[in-house]
Amino acid sequence: MDLKGKISILADAAKYDVSCSSSGSSRMNRPGGIGNGARSGICHSWSADGRCISLLKILMTNSCIYDCEYCVNRRSNDTKRVFLSPEEIVSLTIQFYRRNYIEGLFLSSGIISSPDYTTELLLKIAKLLRLRENFNGYIHMKGIPGTNTKLLQELGHYVDRLSINMELPSEHALQLLAPQKTRSAIIQPMKFIHEQFVERHSEKHLAKYMQPFIPAGQTTQMIVGASGENDRHILKLSEALYKKMSLKRVYYSAYVPIMTGKNLPAVKQPPLLRENRLYQADWLLRYYHFSADEILTDQQPNFDLAVDPKTNWALRNWQLFPIEINTAAYEMILRIPGIGIRSAARIVAMRRLTPLSYDNLKHIGIVFKRARHFITCGGRYYGLGLDDPVLIKNILVSQNCRKLFQQISLFEGQV
Amino acid sequence: MYYQYDGSFSGFLSVIYEAYHDGTSHVEGIENICAGTNIFEKEKKVDANLTKADKVLNGLYRKCGARVAQTLYFAFMAERPEREMLLFYFICAAFRNSHMLSYSKTDPWIGQVENWALQTSNERYRMLGLLRFRELAEGMLYAAIRPKYNIAPLMAGHFAQRLSGEEWAIHDLGRHLAVYYDKKRIITTDVTEQETNIKYSKSEKLFSSIWCQYYRHISIQERENPNLRRSFMPEKYWPYLTEMTQLSEHHA
C-alpha cells in the first residue's frame, strides 16, 4: 500500500484522540536545526468538524493486542491493519513542518507484541527526529499503560508532552469495556512522571543546565457517555488529577457510537452538549478558582444542560448577588457570569484610575447581556429583577439553546 | 504646520522627531504623501531618516517599555487612513505619563489605537498558522497571502527563527510586497512584476496531496460543524490554503 492509503487509514484511526494542542513548550531552535516551540501554541487548520489541527496526529500502527470494546482498533474488529515505518513518519513530519502545515507530531500507536516494545519504537522515532534531523518543533507522544518507567523517563527527554489516557472515568467501567487495562497500570506511570517533575523542581537551583523533561507537561483523556458515571464523579476525578498529578489538561471525548458491543450503551448521537458543559466546568476549575463541590452538588450531580455551569452556580447562590463592580475583589468578579479572566483583569486595572461607569463597562469586552443581571455599577442595577432567579434563568436560556435542549431531552434516557 | 512623509514607519517616526523639534503644539496634521494631495500652504516634507526614527523608537522603548512600542508599530501596520494624528496623540500621551498609559484605556483615542494594534496582532497570529509554503523547483519555499493588515513584515521574525536553514519568501499579493529570507537576513522588497510561471518541485505535489488526504480523514463525520470551522478559519483565507483549494478541485 502506498503512503497515501496508509495515512488515510491511520488518520481515521487516530482522529478520536481529542488533544491536539501545541502549547506549553518554548523549545528554541538550534543552529542548523529546523523548528521551535511556540509557547501559546499555534493552530494551523480546522477540519470539517471545527476541531483545530495543529499537530500531525497519527498512529504508528492500528494493529493492537488489546480488545477494548469502544475502540475502532480493537483486536476483534475486522479492519485493514497497516504500519508506518519510523523513516516514513520522520520524513512526513519534516516535510509537513517545512510547508507550515503543522506545529509538530502527535504520535500514538496500537500496541504490538508488548507495551515496552511499542514504546521502544516510539522512542526510536523521537530520537531520529531530535538527534538526526535536529528537529526542535513540538512532539507529543502517548504513554502506553504498563510500560517500564525507565523507558518513559528516556522518552521524556525527547518529547514536549506525554499523555497517558484514563480512557474511562471508573475502575468498574474499565473492567467492563477495556478488560486488559487496569486502573493501576494507568495511574502508576502518571504518578511516576509527576514525581519526576517534583524531583526536578527541587533540584532546579543546583544545576545551570538541565536536560529538558516533558516541558509541556502531561495530559490525559477520558470518554464521556460510554459508561454510567455522573458528571460530579467525572469532575471530582479531574480535580483530583489536577491537584495530585499536576496535569496540564484533562480532555473529555463525547462517546461516538462507532462500534457495537454488548456492554456499550445504545446512543444515536454523541453527547456533545454534555461534553461542552464538562469543558466549561473544567475551565472553572483551572482558571476561575472554583472547586468541583461548588459546581456540582450531591443533590444535583449532573449538569443543567440549558445553562452553563457558572451561571448555574450563580443562580444557586443568588444571595451573593448583585456584586458591585467598583469595589468587589478580583476573585468575586471572576465569578460573575459573562465576565472572563481578561475582562476581570481589565476591570481591576481600569478602576484604579477612575470609577467605572455604565459606558466604560459597555466597552470593556464583557458579555453585558448576561452580566447585567448579576452586577451593580456605581450602585445602580441594570438587570431585570433581583427577586427571582428562575426568571433570570428563563431570560438567559436563548431561543436557540431552548430548541437544542428540547431535542436533547428526547435522548436523555439513553445518554 | 502640516507634515508630509513617505508612508513608511521610519518616515512617520522622523515626522514625530521633527514635530518634537518644532514644538508639538504646532502640529496641525500629518499626511501620507502617497495617499493625499497637498492643498495646504504651510507644509513641511520630511524624509525618512533612520537615525531620527531610531531615536524616537528607542526613547519610547526606554521610557514606556516594549509593549507600548509594539502597540505603536502594530497599530501603524493596521494602515487605517486616519491613523497619523491618533498615533501622534498616542505617542504624546505615552511620553507625558508613561506609567499611566496602561490604565488609560478609558480614553477613547488611546483605546482606538490599542484596538488597531490588537486587530493586527490577531490577524498576524492567525496567519502564522494559516500560511502555507510551497516548495519551488530551486528548493525555495514560497507563500502567497492576501491579508487585511500589513502583517508580512511582522511575521518574518517568527519564520526566520523557525526555518533558519531554509530560503523562503512571503508574498503579500494585495500590497505587492514580499519578505525574503536568504538564510542570513530578512529583506523586504516591493514586487513590481507578477511572476506568472511558477514551477513547483517534484515532491511538492506528493506532499500536498498527502496533506489533503490527511485533512479529509482527520475530521469526525458524526461531529461535522461547518459554522464552527468558518468562524475559526474565515472563507477569505481559503483560496491560499493548500487543503481547501485542492479539496474543491477534487470535488469539481
Side-chain angles (χ1 to χ4, degrees):
Chain A
M1 185 181 278
D2 68 334
L3 201 52
K4 229 166 148 182
K6 283 191 196 174
I7 291 288
S8 318
I9 292 175
L10 291 172
D12 265 330
K15 68 185 171 190
Y16 298 101
D17 245 312
V18 188
S19 163
C20 197
S21 80
S22 54
S23 58
S25 168
S26 39
R27 194 182 287 269
M28 303 274 276
N29 197 356
R30 281 170 294 185
I34 176 172
N36 59 358
R39 184 120 181 86
S40 53
I42 297 174
C43 294
H44 283 256
S45 191
W46 282 268
S47 57
D49 50 14
R51 299 187 308 159
C52 117
I53 302 173
S54 76
L55 304 171
L56 172 63
K57 179 162 54 181
I58 202 140
L59 294 190
M60 183 172 68
T61 174
N62 63 343
S63 62
C64 189
I65 54 171
Y66 286 174
D67 203 22
C68 308
E69 224 166 280
Y70 51 83
C71 180
V72 239
N73 306 318
R74 72 179 189 202
R75 199 179 50 197
S76 55
N77 191 23
D78 183 22
T79 126
K80 196 157 190 149
R81 309 286 171 170
V82 288
F83 178 82
L84 273 177
S85 74
E87 287 298 335
E88 280 171 325
I89 293 175
V90 167
S91 109
L92 263 184
T93 309
I94 297 288
Q95 291 303 331
F96 277 13
Y97 195 87
R98 285 180 69 215
R99 289 166 173 79
N100 206 33
Y101 296 161
I102 52 166
E103 196 61 17
L105 174 69
F106 176 7
L107 193 63
S108 177
S109 179
I111 296 154
I112 32 177
S113 82
S114 78
D116 278 353
Y117 178 71
T118 316
T119 310
E120 269 168 26
L121 280 174
L122 294 180
L123 182 62
K124 187 179 170 193
I125 293 166
K127 273 182 165 173
L128 276 179
L129 275 170
R130 288 277 191 245
L131 302 178
R132 197 188 70 191
E133 302 289 331
N134 207 351
F135 175 73
N136 302 301
Y138 200 85
I139 301 181
H140 177 172
M141 286 206 182
K142 280 272 166 229
I144 290 159
T147 310
N148 191 333
T149 46
K150 277 232 172 77
L151 275 172
L152 277 183
Q153 190 170 23
E154 199 182 351
L155 190 61
H157 291 310
Y158 298 105
V159 301
D160 291 290
R161 176 167 279 181
L162 204 65
S163 59
I164 297 148
N165 281 359
M166 285 296 285
E167 306 294 6
L168 292 158
S170 72
E171 176 103 60
H172 171 71
L174 216 54
Q175 266 170 17
L176 208 62
L177 297 172
Q180 282 118 321
K181 287 182 183 162
T182 58
R183 185 72 174 257
S184 66
I186 294 168
I187 295 286
Q188 228 163 31
M190 259 188 200
K191 217 178 205 165
F192 171 75
I193 293 170
H194 172 63
E195 279 160 8
Q196 290 285 313
F197 275 138
V198 174
E199 199 183 306
R200 292 173 71 82
H201 192 72
S202 65
E203 286 171 358
K204 221 174 183 175
H205 63 287
L206 296 175
K208 208 168 184 181
Y209 174 77
M210 273 177 117
Q211 207 180 358
F213 182 78
I214 319 183
Q218 58 169 338
T219 60
T220 192
Q221 169 185 331
M222 51 188 145
I223 299 166
V224 174
S227 46
E229 290 83 10
N230 61 27
D231 294 330
R232 187 176 143 87
H233 176 96
I234 296 171
L235 206 60
K236 290 279 267 187
L237 176 63
S238 305
E239 192 182 36
L241 285 172
Y242 286 132
K243 279 190 178 152
K244 289 184 189 152
M245 306 278 184
S246 57
L247 252 64
K248 285 277 162 162
R249 280 285 295 271
V250 176
Y251 289 95
Y252 309 95
S253 121
Y255 168 63
V256 183
I258 28 167
M259 307 299 291
T260 48
K262 61 180 192 317
N263 294 323
L264 287 171
V267 290
K268 288 210 179 68
Q269 265 167 355
L272 292 183
L273 193 53
R274 186 180 172 202
E275 181 198 274
N276 180 238
R277 294 283 178 250
L278 269 168
Y279 273 118
Q280 287 173 327
D282 190 79
W283 250 254
L284 294 184
L285 287 183
R286 287 186 297 138
Y287 296 118
Y288 290 79
H289 310 293
F290 275 85
S291 70
D293 285 325
E294 283 176 306
I295 301 167
L296 289 169
T297 55
D298 260 334
Q299 291 80 35
Q300 199 190 12
N302 284 316
F303 287 114
D304 186 345
L305 293 180
V307 288
D308 62 277
K310 200 182 185 188
T311 308
N312 202 11
W313 173 85
L315 293 172
R316 263 191 283 119
N317 295 282
W318 193 243
Q319 73 283 358
L320 296 173
F321 295 95
I323 287 169
E324 170 57 46
I325 277 290
N326 279 310
T327 55
Y330 173 71
E331 286 75 21
M332 237 18 240
I333 291 180
L334 269 185
R335 295 191 163 221
I336 301 168
I339 297 184
I341 299 164
R342 276 198 187 191
S343 27
R346 212 173 288 157
I347 286 169
V348 174
M350 275 170 74
R351 72 184 183 187
R352 285 173 67 183
L353 200 69
T354 162
L356 294 177
S357 66
Y358 172 78
D359 270 350
N360 294 147
L361 220 49
K362 276 264 182 187
H363 293 110
I364 217 165
I366 65 174
V367 187
F368 193 73
K369 198 170 69 177
R370 195 174 319 144
R372 67 189 182 130
H373 306 293
F374 302 92
I375 56 171
T376 58
C377 179
R380 264 196 76 177
Y381 180 69
Y382 295 93
L384 280 178
L386 286 167
D387 317 322
D388 192 8
V390 181
L391 178 80
I392 303 292
K393 184 180 166 179
N394 283 336
I395 296 165
L396 289 178
V397 179
S398 69
Q399 208 64 40
N400 227 344
C401 188
R402 212 168 290 166
K403 234 185 264 165
L404 196 72
F405 184 55
Q406 277 163 1
Q407 278 171 13
I408 289 218
S409 60
L410 291 178
F411 301 112
E412 211 169 41
Q414 297 164 353
V415 172
Chain B
M1 180 101 65
Y2 285 86
Y3 292 88
Q4 288 184 329
Y5 75 110
D6 60 356
S8 68
F9 187 57
S10 50
F12 175 71
L13 291 177
S14 309
V15 167
I16 303 294
Y17 183 90
E18 291 297 329
Y20 266 89
H21 188 261
D22 299 342
T24 49
S25 56
H26 297 298
V27 179
E28 288 173 77
I30 302 170
E31 40 175 50
N32 186 344
I33 213 161
C34 316
T37 49
N38 33 351
I39 47 165
F40 303 107
E41 286 164 15
K42 279 175 84 180
E43 291 146 1
K44 184 170 181 182
K45 197 161 172 289
V46 181
D47 292 325
N49 182 324
L50 279 180
T51 38
K52 287 178 184 172
D54 266 358
K55 263 187 185 164
V56 176
L57 201 60
N58 275 332
L60 198 68
Y61 180 81
R62 240 176 287 138
K63 191 146 189 237
C64 312
R67 220 192 70 82
V68 171
Q70 189 189 315
T71 304
L72 176 71
Y73 186 32
F74 275 42
F76 184 86
M77 289 311 226
E79 300 198 327
R80 300 290 174 144
E82 70 279 20
R83 65 188 164 175
E84 284 86 6
M85 282 312 273
L86 239 58
L87 290 176
F88 174 63
Y89 174 82
F90 177 81
I91 293 170
C92 290
F95 275 128
R96 207 180 310 120
N97 40 12
S98 50
H99 59 287
M100 296 295 263
L101 196 69
S102 55
Y103 302 129
S104 38
K105 281 180 197 126
T106 38
D107 181 328
W109 287 1
I110 290 176
Q112 179 71 76
V113 171
E114 297 261 358
N115 210 7
W116 288 343
L118 189 68
Q119 281 168 344
T120 314
S121 149
N122 283 350
E123 193 182 34
R124 171 188 174 270
Y125 179 65
R126 182 175 271 167
M127 202 48 105
L128 289 184
L130 292 180
L131 184 109
R132 295 283 176 270
F133 282 116
R134 283 159 191 268
E135 196 181 46
L136 301 183
E138 310 90 70
M140 192 176 100
L141 297 169
Y142 169 80
I145 53 173
R146 198 186 283 275
K148 192 172 173 194
Y149 309 113
N150 190 2
I151 52 170
L154 306 178
M155 297 196 298
H158 172 84
F159 288 108
Q161 274 178 14
R162 176 162 285 202
L163 303 171
S164 57
E166 305 269 357
E167 205 183 335
W168 51 257
I170 300 170
H171 184 182
D172 187 334
L173 296 171
R175 290 180 181 76
H176 308 291
L177 188 96
V179 181
Y180 168 71
Y181 179 76
D182 65 352
K183 301 187 187 179
K184 286 190 202 77
R185 293 162 305 151
I186 300 165
I187 302 155
T188 312
T189 51
D190 289 327
V191 182
T192 43
E193 272 175 64
Q194 188 70 45
E195 181 74 53
T196 44
N197 189 21
I198 299 174
K199 278 205 185 81
Y200 295 113
S201 75
K202 277 179 199 149
S203 61
E204 178 57 35
K205 206 176 165 195
L206 172 71
F207 284 110
S208 61
S209 68
I210 294 178
W211 168 243
C212 293
Q213 189 83 355
Y214 173 77
Y215 178 81
R216 225 171 307 146
H217 281 273
I218 204 69
S219 127
I220 299 177
Q221 253 173 13
E222 288 87 346
R223 305 182 56 133
E224 202 142 292
N225 194 345
N227 286 339
L228 186 61
R229 169 167 70 175
R230 246 199 320 274
S231 76
F232 284 126
M233 191 164 75
E235 268 178 69
K236 64 178 173 183
Y237 298 121
W238 290 12
Y240 308 100
L241 287 172
T242 313
E243 60 270 30
M244 301 317 281
T245 45
Q246 297 212 348
L247 271 185
S248 52
E249 275 166 29
H250 185 82
H251 286 302

